[in-house]
Each structure stands twice: as C-alpha cells, then as structure tokens.
Amino acid sequence: MKLLLVNVGRGRYAVAADAVTRIIDPELEPGSPLLPGRTGDDAEAYPVLDLHAASGEMPRGSTVYLVLEAEGRRTAVPVDSAEEICEVPATAIAPLPPFIFASAPRLFRGLFHDPAGPRLLLDERALR
Amino acid sequence: VSGAPAARRLAFRVGATRAAVPLAVVREVVQDAAIIAVPGSHPHVAGVALHRGLALPVYDLARFPPLWSAEAGRRFAAGGVPRAPLLIVCAWGEAMVGLLGDEVDLLEGEAYELDADAATALSPVFLTGQVKGTAAGAADRIACLDVQKLFPSLGVPDEALRPAREDAGEDDPAGR
C-alpha cells in the first residue's frame, strides 16, 4: 500500500496516501478555507488531530496540515514535515495489540520498519 | 513462601531495584531494540517494537504505579529512571510482552529461596501485591514478580490474540 511518511516531533508516522486529500502549507495558502481555525462563510469545520499534544510534546517549528478523508469525514493533522510516498507491502505492517491503548479510539493501525527505524501507521478511520 | 522449591528466574534491574520473572515465561532478551512510543497508550506502555513480525508491546515497570510505593513513584515521576537497554520478551497466554530492564542475570539452583515475609523488606520500593517473594542475589535482594498478577494488571489479557497475517480480521492494518 502507498503510504505518506510524516514526522511530528520525535514521532515517526505514516498515513495511507489515498486518504490524504490535500496538503496545506499555511504560509503558501494563508487563505485556504480548509485551514483549521479559519472562520467565514467559506470555512470548513472539521476536527484536528494534534499528535504533538497526544505524545506529550510541545509544538515546534512550521506546520503543514494534512487533510485526511475517510468514510466521508475530514480530519486535519498538523505535521512537522512530509517526507515521501513509498510503497509498503501489507504483509510488512504488524497490527498493534489493542490492549495497549488507554482509551478509544485507537489512533494507529499498525507498525512497520523503514530503513531509519519503526513507524506507526495512522488509522484515518479513527480520526473523528 | 519460605521453603518452596527453587525455580529458575531471570533477574533484571528496574530503575534502582532488582526484580525477577520466572524463566519459563521468558522467550529471549533483545539488546537495543527499536522501540517507538504510541500516543494514546497507557502511561506504563513504553511503546511497541517490531519483533519477529509482531508488534510487541513494551512495558516500563518503572512507570507502573501499582508496583511501587508512593515514594518511589514520586522519584520515578521526577525522571530518576535510567533508560533500560534490554528488552525481555515474555510469553503470556497467546500474547508476547516486552519488559524493559538492565543487568540481566540468571538465578537458578538453590542459592536462593522465596520468602514472602522478606518482600516487605523491599519497601518502600516495591509494594507487595505484585511480588511473590524475594530471592538473594549476588549483592542484594531481588523481588520475584508474580506474573500471574502483574501481566493482567498491566492490561495484557489472558487470552490475548496473537495477530496473524492470514486471519487478522478487523485488526489487519492493511484493511485486507
């Protein structure tokens, strides 16, 4: 499956590339109606998943927003950087044990290794 | 229990304390495993490691308050725990569980015996609820952890399903 590799703080994540409907750089598109927090007639409201906060880190540096869409719902995910799209065999992705999560929803679907180390695969279906 | 038959155990260091688990549940010890933290997981979950094709949950017992006295818990919360370089892979039911540790050592033979009363001597470091007894190590007392209580209290179900590539169902991350 095609995955977009992203970094958020010290976290290394990936998201299914076909779930990414748009990547917004606020510096390049300050007026995008898709930007979280924007108000106005053309603004769109949808949840933001802050992986910095979820991992207990403080946000840093410039942020790019991924707009993910799954099951008709949109979610914005701020990331520090988007590295590349790569093909990862489905058999290389190990499901995470559900009992490690403190509460629902589980944010991640699985774990795989790339040459630099382990990465978590975000579950865009759980982002609501 | 004083006078109980000696059992083989794997001792390891957790923070400033020595602990041990039955060797029967230990599958291997891995050095410098690549562990990644999982946002949204329990505080005592250090992360997961890809181990033999499975996502192995890795637990940091230093961050598991029921194991420690309030005094020790405050010390650990203050960041007094050194990073453990070893991953002790244990089998529990159908699940595999990783424990962070250091200075692994094998305890065997009759050089030690369990002594439930002596567990209290470990206070204020260990609480006795998760400790089956103590063993005498080369230089100190070692808390023998009761895995029958410890693993379920960590959240590991007795009949945890080992994810299978062929039959992963809803847990298949690739959505097959």
Side-chain angles (χ1 to χ4, degrees):
Chain A
M1 55 191 303
K2 284 193 186 325
L3 302 179
L4 174 64
L5 309 185
V6 299
N7 299 308
V8 181
R10 291 190 301 271
R12 306 177 74 248
Y13 308 107
V15 60
D18 59 7
V20 181
T21 59
R22 193 153 176 198
I23 300 176
I24 305 173
D25 184 338
E27 291 188 4
L28 300 178
E29 300 180 72
S32 171
L34 295 172
L35 279 175
R38 183 181 156 81
T39 58
D41 292 341
D42 59 346
E44 291 194 23
Y46 45 86
V48 176
L49 172 63
D50 186 347
L51 287 171
H52 278 295
S55 58
E57 296 180 2
M58 295 294 290
R60 62 172 190 182
S62 60
T63 298
V64 173
Y65 289 88
L66 306 183
V67 179
L68 309 183
E69 187 163 339
E71 300 175 353
R73 295 169 182 266
R74 277 182 173 165
T75 304
V77 182
V79 301
D80 293 344
S81 62
E83 286 186 25
E84 61 174 322
I85 292 177
C86 67
E87 183 76 33
V88 177
T91 53
I93 304 168
L96 297 185
F99 52 81
I100 66 171
F101 289 96
S103 61
R106 298 159 47 186
L107 296 178
F108 304 98
R109 297 160 64 179
L111 171 70
F112 65 98
H113 262 226
D114 65 18
R119 273 188 191 273
L120 292 172
L121 174 58
L122 207 60
D123 186 355
E124 69 278 0
R125 294 167 299 185
L127 306 180
R128 296 176 183 177
Chain B
V1 178
S2 183
R8 303 177 79 197
R9 297 177 187 276
L10 190 79
F12 55 100
R13 184 167 294 284
V14 183
T17 303
R18 298 277 286 169
V21 292
L23 193 61
V25 304
V26 178
R27 292 295 171 267
E28 63 183 295
V29 177
V30 180
Q31 191 164 20
D32 296 325
I35 300 166
I36 186 168
V38 183
S41 60
H42 293 290
H44 51 275
V45 175
V48 290
L50 196 60
H51 179 72
R52 300 188 185 280
L54 298 177
L56 180 75
V58 178
Y59 293 90
D60 183 355
L61 296 181
R63 287 196 260 163
F64 186 53
L67 197 56
W68 307 95
S69 68
E71 176 187 330
R74 282 193 294 272
R75 182 154 48 89
F76 292 145
V81 182
R83 178 160 176 77
L86 298 177
L87 180 59
I88 300 158
V89 181
C90 302
W92 176 247
E94 295 298 316
M96 300 295 282
V97 176
L99 301 176
L100 288 179
D102 194 6
E103 300 178 22
V104 166
D105 195 11
L106 184 63
L107 299 176
E108 63 179 336
E110 305 209 1
Y112 66 94
E113 64 178 22
L114 297 178
D115 181 352
D117 292 336
T120 57
L122 294 167
S123 298
V125 178
F126 273 109
L127 295 182
T128 56
Q130 311 280 348
V131 178
K132 208 163 190 171
T134 66
D140 50 9
R141 299 292 288 180
I142 297 171
C144 299
L145 300 177
D146 186 345
V147 295
Q148 303 280 340
K149 294 179 180 175
L150 176 65
F151 287 156
S153 64
L154 288 172
V156 183
D158 286 342
E159 300 298 330
L161 297 176
R162 174 180 289 182
R165 291 286 178 274
E166 303 78 17
D167 186 24
E170 293 182 352
D171 281 334
D172 184 350
R176 287 161 289 168

